[in-house]
């Protein structure tokens, strides 16, 4: 398994030695915080991940392998690194209720953002909103014909939600953070 258990032993077990299996909901390391994920493979090795990413590049999927900032050589070229994420443990029974509340809050955030976009007459369509599990980040997914200056929108959303706002374009590799 590519991720370490919260006890740091790297064997995919939570601290209580309860094995993590396919289908389990787990709390995982995310962008400057924690997120909720579902285990889809509990036997993958680092070598298999490297082969998968090499195949993705060769067949032109448009995705690139995960890298450390600047790549392994620090300069953007050279060998790419795969950065496994920490598994903190299985999601608890109460986390299902938190998931429902999170989804409801995402729908409210989406509707509010769409209203603000219309009011500002921005040439974009906001199609989804997603909170990171720990609510340290709120991502809005959008479609637009061209690059848009949405800095004022992001400032307004930050004032309302008091969390990091990320605008992600669904047109390709362009995603914008403010």
């Amino acid at each position: 398994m590519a991720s370490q258990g919260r006890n740091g032993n790297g064997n995919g077990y939570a601290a209580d030695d309860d094995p993590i299996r396919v289908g389990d909901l787990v709390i995982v390391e995310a962008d400057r915080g924690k997120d909720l994920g579902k285990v889809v493979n509990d036997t993958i090795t680092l070598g298999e991940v490297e082969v998968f990413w090499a195949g993705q590049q060769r067949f032109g999927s448009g995705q690139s392998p995960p890298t450390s900032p600047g790549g392994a050589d620090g300069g953007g070229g050279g060998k790419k690194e795969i950065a496994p994420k920490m598994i903190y443990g299985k999601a608890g029974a109460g986390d299902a209720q938190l998931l429902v509340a999170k989804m409801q809050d995402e729908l409210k955030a989406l509707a509010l953002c769409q209203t603000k976009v219309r009011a500002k007459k921005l040439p974009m369509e906001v199609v989804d909103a997603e909170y990171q599990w720990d609510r340290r980040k709120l991502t809005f997914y959008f479609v637009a014909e061209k690059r848009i200056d949405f800095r004022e929108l992001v400032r307004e959303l930050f004032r309302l939600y008091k969390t990091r706002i990320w605008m992600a374009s669904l047109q390709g590799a362009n995603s914008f953070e403010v």
Side-chain angles (χ1 to χ4, degrees):
M1 172 172 266
S3 297
Q4 293 186 9
R6 79 177 148 206
N7 60 3
N9 63 12
N11 67 3
Y13 286 77
D16 58 3
D17 291 330
D18 187 16
I20 294 172
R21 305 266 186 237
V22 171
D24 287 346
L25 293 178
V26 292
I27 305 298
V28 297
E29 177 185 5
D31 183 27
R32 301 179 192 167
K34 295 179 181 177
D35 218 335
L36 180 75
K38 186 174 188 176
V39 176
V40 295
N41 187 330
D42 60 359
T43 60
I44 193 165
T45 66
L46 184 57
E48 291 168 328
V49 172
E50 290 170 341
V51 167
F52 170 78
W53 283 113
Q56 292 293 307
Q57 284 185 321
R58 196 171 34 247
F59 296 111
S61 70
Q63 294 182 351
S64 60
T67 65
S68 297
D73 63 357
K79 187 175 180 345
K80 302 292 184 183
E81 291 182 15
I82 296 171
K85 300 297 184 187
M86 175 80 69
I87 296 175
Y88 294 106
K90 286 185 180 182
D95 290 329
Q97 292 173 336
L98 292 174
L99 180 60
V100 170
K102 182 178 97 68
M103 291 168 63
Q104 290 170 341
D105 290 346
E106 289 166 347
L107 288 173
K108 290 177 190 173
L110 174 61
L112 183 103
C113 185
Q114 289 170 332
T115 299
K116 292 198 172 292
V117 164
R118 281 191 299 274
K120 294 179 180 306
K121 295 181 173 52
L122 293 172
M124 63 191 289
E125 181 185 358
V126 181
V127 296
D128 200 9
E130 180 181 29
Y131 267 111
Q132 188 167 287
W133 183 252
D134 58 12
R135 297 191 183 229
R136 289 186 181 183
K137 181 168 98 171
L138 176 55
T139 303
F140 291 97
Y141 297 92
F142 70 93
V143 177
E145 300 267 330
K146 60 182 180 168
R147 190 170 179 89
I148 298 167
D149 183 359
F150 45 66
R151 291 176 291 184
E152 185 181 326
L153 172 66
V154 170
R155 281 192 288 272
E156 265 188 59
L157 293 169
F158 176 79
R159 276 194 296 274
L160 289 168
Y161 293 106
K162 302 288 189 246
T163 193
R164 185 171 170 221
I165 303 296
W166 181 274
M167 302 297 289
S169 172
L170 296 176
Q171 255 90 16
N174 297 337
S175 64
F176 312 101
E177 174 187 9
V178 178

